[in-house]
């Protein structure tokens, strides 16, 4: 059963909502009228201290919302930043109960003087528009103005890739006035936290080692322009390239060594293995080069890929030599050029008993004497025997390369990795950088 008081309350609810809407509309109209009255005689083309002839000091602060990965091929990087600029405009002082007024109307914002800030090394820029234009103008009672906007910037960065992928890059973000000289605008970083960063800032493939801010002046024929600069020191993470480049190339080089365990006359198998590994390595190297600019100097990754190419191509050339030896006939009075050590001769060579293979001089003379005593009784049987070849030399060459190639590659790794890791550490030390921001 409805009570009379509740019935009256429900009947008054629409009226209360309408009254609140009217009050809000009245407040908005009152603020708009207040701003229009204050800006009635305001000249947006004159800087705040134009009547005194003094330059206006613009204090700048940047909040790095996110940091995009560096693109080595295009020599650029992207950041999502809140750019905040503060200055004092005596013409915007007001006496009111409110401490500050937030201006979101673009039409009214356009009537207020703002610095013509631009980024020197920008390639592309975008002001966020969702869900409204991310631009804020806030006026304080004492005439202080806050001008804030959210931007996504693609900035150029002159990268040095000599030690890639063990490199450390220094990328700059520079801003200045486009048209107003330093007698109109002077830029200055705020005293506290000029560059603000999130607690957990993640950058793909990079670590932000340090950053620093600086003031500078540009000198042109049109005048001197005040500007600001921030330097970002970034160190490349090696995990991605170790997994995507170094481990696959190590496996490819190791697979090419399998041919040393195949018979020297196994032409289809050894040729297929050598050519396949060489083409695979070439394809992998082409993918790496596509990610980098065509610079004229040698990079660390080029040294690695070049050595891997030499190892794989060397294995293919070794097969060519081994196959040639395996099929080269020994003449009746042919003399061996050199003696194969017993460690490389193997048990099969000793069983065959070829001259100069794993035997010392006394044993060789004894063998020759025995062969002279044992003349073939049947001429047809002697003619039917297949001529001897340098097969044992070919097998000895394979045995030698089974240890020589892995040892050479191991020595290269022992030199390569410490050298470039130390170079990366030295680069950071030269710039006076420490871990952590």
């Amino acid at each position: 059963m409805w009570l009379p008081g509740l019935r009256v309350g429900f009947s008054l609810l629409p009226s209360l909502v309408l009254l609140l809407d009217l009050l809000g509309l009245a407040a908005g109209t009152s603020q708009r009228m207040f701003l229009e009255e204050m800006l009635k005689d305001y000249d947006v083309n004159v800087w705040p201290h134009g009547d005194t002839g003094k330059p206006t000091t613009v204090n700048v602060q940047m909040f790095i919302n996110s940091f995009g990965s560096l693109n080595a091929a295009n020599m650029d990087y992207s950041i999502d930043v809140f750019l905040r600029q503060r200055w004092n405009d005596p013409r915007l002082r007001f006496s009111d109960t409110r401490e500050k007024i937030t201006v979101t109307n673009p039409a009214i914002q356009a009537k207020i003087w703002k610095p013509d800030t631009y980024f020197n090394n920008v390639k592309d820029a975008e002001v966020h528009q969702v869900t409204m234009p991310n631009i804020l103008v806030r006026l304080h009672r004492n005439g202080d103005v806050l001008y804030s906007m959210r931007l996504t910037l693609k900035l150029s960065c002159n990268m040095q890739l000599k030690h890639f992928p063990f490199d450390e890059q220094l990328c700059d973000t520079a801003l200045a006035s486009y048209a107003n000289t330093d007698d109109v605008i002077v830029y200055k970083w705020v005293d506290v936290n000029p560059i603000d960063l999130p607690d957990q800032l993640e950058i793909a493939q990079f670590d932000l080692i340090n950053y620093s801010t600086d003031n500078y002046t540009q000198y042109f024929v049109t005048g001197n322009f005040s500007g600001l600069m921030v330097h970002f020191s970034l160190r490349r993470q090696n995990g991605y390239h170790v997994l995507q480049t170094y481990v696959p190339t190590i496996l490819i080089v190791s697979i090419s060594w399998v041919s040393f365990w195949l018979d020297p006359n196994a032409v289809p198998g050894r040729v297929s293995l050598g050519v396949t590994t060489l083409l695979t390595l070439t394809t992998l190297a082409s993918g790496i080069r596509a990610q980098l600019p065509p610079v004229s100097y040698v990079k660390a990754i080029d040294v690695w890929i070049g050595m891997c190419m030499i190892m794989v191509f060397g294995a293919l050339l070794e097969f060519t030599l081994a196959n040639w030896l395996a099929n080269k006939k020994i003449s009746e009075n042919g003399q061996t050029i050199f003696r194969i050590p017993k460690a490389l001769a193997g048990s099969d060579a000793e069983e065959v008993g070829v001259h100069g293979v794993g035997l010392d001089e006394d044993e060789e003379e004894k063998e020759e004497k025995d062969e002279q005593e044992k003349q073939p009784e049947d001429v047809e049987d002697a003619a039917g025997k297949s001529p001897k070849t340098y097969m044992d030399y070919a097998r000895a060459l394979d045995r030698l390369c089974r240890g020589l190639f892995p040892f050479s590659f191991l020595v290269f790794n022992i030199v390569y990795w410490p050298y470039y890791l130390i170079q990366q550490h030295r680069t950071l030390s030269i710039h006076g950088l420490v871990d952590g921001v």
Side-chain angles (χ1 to χ4, degrees):
M1 186 174 179
W2 293 95
L3 297 177
L6 291 176
R7 191 179 299 114
V8 173
F10 278 110
S11 63
L12 293 177
L13 184 59
S15 300
L16 291 174
V17 173
L18 180 60
L19 179 60
L20 292 175
D21 290 340
L22 291 175
L23 290 175
L25 181 59
T29 304
S30 175
Q31 178 171 309
R32 180 174 60 82
M33 294 178 61
F34 176 79
L35 290 172
E36 290 180 351
E37 181 66 23
M38 184 173 60
L39 299 174
K40 182 174 60 175
D41 298 326
Y42 189 91
D43 189 355
V44 71
N45 297 313
V46 179
W47 73 94
H49 300 86
D51 55 345
T52 62
K54 296 181 180 179
T56 299
T57 301
V58 179
N59 296 281
V60 179
Q61 193 261 349
M62 295 173 61
F63 176 80
I64 309 296
N65 191 41
S66 64
F67 208 115
S69 178
L70 277 70
N71 189 330
N74 297 327
M75 293 279 191
D76 58 27
Y77 69 103
S78 61
I79 56 174
D80 186 279
V81 58
F82 289 92
L83 177 63
R84 297 162 182 157
Q85 304 176 77
R86 293 179 173 87
W87 66 93
N88 183 270
D89 192 341
R91 299 172 297 177
L92 297 178
R93 294 174 181 172
F94 60 89
S95 58
D96 194 79
T97 57
R98 292 168 290 191
E99 290 291 334
K100 55 190 176 182
I101 298 175
T102 300
V103 183
T104 57
N105 190 338
I108 299 179
Q109 290 179 356
K111 297 179 179 180
I112 300 174
W113 180 91
K114 295 178 289 293
D116 54 341
T117 305
Y118 84 108
F119 290 86
N120 290 349
N121 56 335
V122 68
K123 288 186 175 181
D124 191 16
E126 177 187 1
V127 179
H128 289 248
Q129 302 290 333
V130 179
T131 58
M132 292 181 62
N134 295 172
I135 300 176
L136 165 69
V137 176
R138 181 175 295 164
L139 308 179
H140 294 263
R141 185 190 300 178
N142 60 350
D144 288 344
V145 182
L146 169 63
Y147 181 41
S148 176
M149 62 177 64
R150 184 183 178 188
L151 306 169
T152 296
L153 306 171
K154 181 183 289 186
L155 304 162
S156 62
C157 179
N158 186 20
M159 302 182 190
Q160 299 297 324
L161 301 173
K162 183 178 180 181
H163 295 154
F164 178 91
F166 305 97
D167 55 329
E168 180 266 335
Q169 303 297 336
L170 295 175
C171 294
D172 301 329
T173 301
L175 57 89
S177 174
Y178 183 78
N180 295 308
T181 55
D182 56 3
D183 58 344
V184 176
I185 295 178
V186 173
Y187 287 95
K188 179 183 177 183
W189 290 109
V190 297
D191 297 331
V192 181
N193 292 332
I195 303 298
D196 198 6
L197 300 169
D199 294 334
Q200 301 295 330
L201 180 65
E202 296 290 338
I203 306 175
Q205 299 188 38
F206 281 89
D207 293 324
L208 180 60
I209 304 303
N210 200 1
Y211 65 87
S212 60
T213 57
D214 192 15
N215 294 32
Y216 73 99
T217 302
Q218 293 179 315
Y219 300 95
F220 298 116
V221 293
T222 54
N224 302 333
F225 297 84
S226 174
L228 300 175
M229 184 175 294
V230 54
H231 310 275
F232 296 106
S233 300
L234 301 147
R235 180 176 56 193
R236 192 182 301 273
Q237 299 172 356
N238 301 326
Y240 172 82
H241 294 280
V242 167
L243 295 177
Q244 299 297 323
T245 302
Y246 288 95
V247 172
T249 50
I250 290 174
L251 294 178
I252 292 171
V253 171
S254 301
I255 290 173
S256 69
W257 300 336
V258 175
S259 66
F260 301 144
W261 273 263
L262 300 180
D263 190 83
N265 284 323
V267 177
R270 296 188 70 163
V271 169
S272 300
L273 182 61
V275 173
T276 302
T277 52
L278 186 61
L279 292 178
T280 304
L281 188 60
T282 303
T283 303
L284 184 61
S286 299
I288 297 171
R289 286 194 297 268
Q291 303 175 7
L292 299 173
V295 294
S296 59
Y297 49 82
V298 178
K299 302 177 287 294
I301 195 69
D302 296 334
V303 176
W304 176 267
I305 295 295
M307 184 60 184
C308 293
M309 286 281 190
I310 292 173
M311 298 297 295
V312 174
F313 190 70
L316 191 59
L317 290 181
E318 187 276 342
F319 158 69
T320 304
L321 178 59
N323 183 259
W324 178 79
L325 289 173
N327 293 278
K328 182 175 176 57
K329 300 176 183 179
I330 301 177
S331 60
E332 294 183 6
N333 299 324
Q335 298 294 328
T336 56
I337 300 175
F338 60 89
R339 191 180 310 279
I340 300 176
K342 290 184 178 181
L344 298 177
S347 59
D348 54 351
E350 293 178 1
E351 291 175 359
V352 175
V354 179
H355 293 299
V357 179
L359 303 175
D360 54 24
E361 295 181 358
D362 295 337
E363 292 175 343
E364 185 179 352
E365 292 177 356
K366 182 179 180 181
E367 184 184 1
E368 291 178 353
K369 184 177 180 181
D370 293 340
E371 288 181 355
Q372 291 175 358
E373 294 176 355
K374 297 178 180 179
Q375 297 295 335
E377 297 178 357
D378 193 348
V379 178
E380 294 182 358
D381 293 341
K385 292 181 180 179
S386 59
K388 296 180 180 179
T389 64
Y390 291 93
M391 174 62 76
D392 294 288
Y393 284 88
R395 291 174 178 170
L397 179 62
D398 281 342
R399 294 189 186 96
L400 175 65
C401 292
R402 290 175 192 175
L404 180 61
F405 273 66
F407 177 75
S408 302
F409 195 61
L410 177 62
V411 171
F412 170 73
N413 277 266
I414 292 175
V415 175
Y416 178 88
W417 291 96
Y419 173 79
Y420 282 105
L421 291 176
I422 291 173
Q423 287 295 322
Q424 186 180 36
H425 179 73
R426 285 184 59 189
T427 304
L428 298 177
S429 300
I430 291 172
H431 293 286
L433 306 176
V434 294
D435 290 336
V437 177

